[in-house]
Amino acid sequence: MDGLAQARFQARFSARSRTRSALIALAAASLAACAGPRYAIREADREPDRGAPAPGRGSGLHGTDKPYEINGRWYYPEAQPDYDEIGLASWYGAGEQSHHTANGEIFDQYGLTAAHKTLPLPSIVEVTNLANGRRIQVRLNDRGPFVDGRLIDLSLGAAEELGFDRQGLARVRVRYISSAPPLAAQGVMQARLSPHRAVIAAPPLTPVLSAAPETAMASAVAPEPAPSDAALPEADYRVQVGPMPLAPTPRGRRRNWETACAT
Amino acid sequence: MIEPVQSVGAILYRVVLGGYLDEDDALAAQLRFTEAGFAGARVLRPF
C-alpha cells in the first residue's frame, strides 16, 4: 500500500470502527446473553499474530499485497491457493456505500463482494453458509474484518444471497477460487467480466418455486437445479423484487407483476 | 426464480429475474416494478 492509500485505508477503517463500536458492543452483549457455544470461535480460526514484519519484508510488494498493521496487529497478505477455512462471517452495507474499498474500488453494498484480512485483492472466493447450504462466489476487494475470530466480512447483497442478513452472523466455509480481473472502469461493475457472479448452488432448506413470472406462480415444483457456471446466461444483470411478506400469488399483486413484466 | 425466504415466524418471498443485457435494461425493469407497487425492486449487478 502506498502512503496515500494506507492513510485512506486507515482513515476508512477508523471511521468504520467508530460506527461499528456500538454495534460490536451490542453484538457482544447479545452473544454473551446467548451463553452457548453457537458462536464459539475455534482457536484455529484466529489470525496468527506474527508481530511486526522483519526489516525488508514486503519489499517488491505493491498496494494491498503489503503487510499492514491494524490496532497493533500485523497482517501478511499472501497468495493462498489452497485456502479453505471455516469461520464466522458478518456483513457490512449502507455505512460504506460508495466508499473506496482497500484496493480502490467503489463499494456497492448490493454487489457480491467481501473483505478478507490476508487473501490477495482482488480475488474470487466461494462462500458457503453452513446453516442452510447456500453457496455463492464473491469478489474480494476489501480488507477486514478486524474482529477476533471473524473470518470474512460480506457485502449486504452477498449476505442476502447466503440468507443471513437478518441474523448478522453466520458460520461459513470460505474457499479460494482464483484471482479476479481488475474492473474495466473504477467503480463500474462490468457485465461478463467473469463467470463468477451469482448463486452457483443453493440447496434450499425450503422448496424453491421455479416459474416464469408470467406463468402461474403458486404451483410448487421440484427444487430448481443448481446452475453451473457453464449454464449461466450471457446477460448478467438481474432485478430482485422483495423480500415480500406475501407470495406474489394474490390476484392483485400478480396482475401488477405481469403488467410490470409485460411493459 | 421465486424464492421463499425464512424469516422469524413468517415466510417472505423474493423474486429474481435475470436476462437483462445491460444496466440500463435492468434499471428500466426496476423502474417498472417500482411503479407497479414493488417498492423494494433493485438491480443486482454482476462483477
Side-chain angles (χ1 to χ4, degrees), chain A residues 134-182:
Chain A
R134 291 190 182 189
R135 189 169 82 232
I136 62 173
Q137 290 185 353
V138 301
R139 177 186 178 89
L140 289 183
N141 65 359
D142 208 354
R143 287 294 179 215
F146 301 108
V147 178
D148 277 347
R150 199 69 58 81
L151 188 62
I152 192 169
D153 213 4
L154 294 150
S155 65
L156 169 60
E160 287 181 339
E161 292 288 356
L162 288 170
F164 76 94
D165 53 303
R166 292 169 186 271
Q167 293 92 333
L169 297 172
R171 193 156 182 82
V172 298
R173 176 185 179 188
V174 177
R175 194 166 65 89
Y176 178 81
I177 300 298
S178 68
S179 61

Side-chain angles (χ1 to χ4, degrees), chain B:
Chain B
M1 180 178 73
I2 307 168
E3 180 184 15
V5 180
Q6 288 280 7
S7 182
V8 180
I11 294 180
L12 305 178
Y13 287 82
R14 177 165 58 189
V15 182
V16 178
L17 277 181
Y20 298 102
L21 292 174
D22 55 37
E23 188 164 14
D24 288 342
D25 195 17
L27 287 171
Q30 178 192 19
L31 181 60
R32 289 199 300 272
F33 292 129
T34 303
E35 289 173 344
F38 296 94
R42 73 170 200 248
V43 172
L44 302 178
R45 294 175 173 82
F47 56 75

